[in-house]
Amino acid sequence: MATWGNMMTQDANSSLMEQLTFFHDHTIMILSMITVMVTYIMMSIMNNNFINRYLLEGQTIELIWTMLPAITLIFIALPSLRLLYMMDEVNNPSITLKVIGHQWYWSYEYSDFSNNEFDSYMKPSTELETNNMRLLDVDNRTVLPMNTQTRVVVTAADVLHSWAVPALGIKIDAVPGRLNQGAININRPGLMFGQCSEICGANHSFMPIVIESTTTENFLNWINSM
């Protein structure tokens, strides 16, 4: 998860987040090259008292500085479109998790199992244990099996919310009266923290998300114990 010592994105725990990280690095590399080149040209012009007469009203140079940005945008747009299609694609999910946003907590329903639903509230500071994260831990964690294609269906009961877990590369708007869906496939076990990412009222900052990834066997045991 993100801490005060991190300068980059969180460690990816899904194939989608890995691709988002690669795209981020790809775009930053292109922007860095553009920034260095433009800075060099500006410094050269400022420190040079001469004027290149062929640089003014030149059709060739105008064609070049029109085509280069267009080609650069293509190199950014193509992987971006590929990622957008990957984020919207849900193929043969093994498990469906329904998420309902409330003011100010989350409700979870496991649609493939009967009578498996619960509410998830933020843990008050007075109830935190030594290994809990302040303002990020919840009383009921959402357990999901790793290496399993999971469909997440998100909606809201009152106002707009947004279910976001950065380590999984997922952010789905929770809209009253509408079902939005996404897919996640967790790579390894562990805890992943998220928060509501749509301003939804006074306690918007106090409705965190905690996903606990575990093996399929442990997940089934947890489901049966509910």
Side-chain angles (χ1 to χ4, degrees):
M1 62 170 293
T3 63
W4 52 86
N6 287 2
M7 296 294 292
M8 300 297 290
T9 57
Q10 296 185 26
D11 293 336
N13 200 9
S14 70
S15 55
L16 178 59
M17 186 58 192
E18 289 176 357
Q19 294 299 317
L20 286 170
T21 304
F22 293 152
F23 176 68
H24 169 269
D25 296 342
H26 169 76
T27 307
I28 289 296
M29 180 189 68
I30 294 176
L31 293 178
S32 300
M33 293 170 58
I34 293 173
T35 303
V36 171
M37 183 179 68
V38 172
T39 303
Y40 172 75
I41 293 174
M42 290 178 62
M43 295 300 293
S44 299
I45 293 175
M46 291 173 62
N47 294 326
N48 192 354
N49 295 325
F50 298 100
I51 296 177
N52 187 348
R53 62 177 179 174
Y54 297 108
L55 191 64
L56 303 178
E57 297 297 335
Q59 299 296 322
T60 304
I61 192 66
E62 289 184 4
L63 178 65
I64 291 174
W65 68 42
T66 301
M67 293 299 297
L68 283 180
I71 295 171
T72 303
L73 289 175
I74 290 174
F75 276 99
I76 295 176
L78 291 180
S80 174
L81 291 173
R82 173 176 168 269
L83 267 177
L84 286 174
Y85 279 107
M86 286 178 61
M87 293 170 69
D88 287 338
E89 196 171 357
V90 181
N91 287 326
N92 300 322
S94 301
I95 297 175
T96 298
L97 174 68
K98 185 176 182 182
V99 183
I100 305 172
H102 303 266
Q103 289 181 313
W104 288 271
Y105 64 96
W106 297 99
S107 294
Y108 296 93
E109 299 177 7
Y110 290 84
S111 305
D112 304 303
F113 306 92
S114 59
N115 300 323
N116 289 105
E117 56 184 75
F118 57 88
D119 297 332
S120 181
Y121 290 86
M122 186 190 74
K123 265 192 177 182
S125 300
T126 54
E127 298 178 10
L128 289 176
E129 300 176 6
T130 306
N131 59 344
N132 289 155
M133 304 295 295
R134 179 177 174 271
L135 300 181
L136 283 177
D137 229 311
V138 295
D139 54 359
N140 291 315
R141 292 173 176 172
T142 308
V143 181
L144 290 174
M146 63 180 185
N147 297 323
T148 303
Q149 187 74 6
T150 305
R151 174 173 55 194
V152 183
V153 179
V154 182
T155 186
D158 35 48
V159 298
L160 290 175
H161 301 275
S162 186
W163 196 79
V165 184
L168 298 178
I170 192 167
K171 179 179 181 291
I172 306 175
D173 290 337
V175 183
R178 178 185 175 91
L179 292 177
N180 292 327
Q181 72 172 3
I184 54 178
N185 195 335
I186 305 173
N187 292 340
R188 57 184 183 276
L191 293 178
M192 288 138 285
F193 295 88
Q195 289 177 303
C196 177
S197 298
E198 184 75 36
I199 297 177
C200 56
N203 291 329
H204 157 70
S205 301
F206 306 108
M207 47 184 303
I209 304 160
V210 181
I211 303 295
E212 181 178 346
S213 173
T214 184
T215 62
T216 304
E217 181 181 357
N218 290 339
F219 169 74
L220 293 175
N221 291 335
W222 176 78
I223 282 287
N224 293 329
S225 64
M226 290 183 66

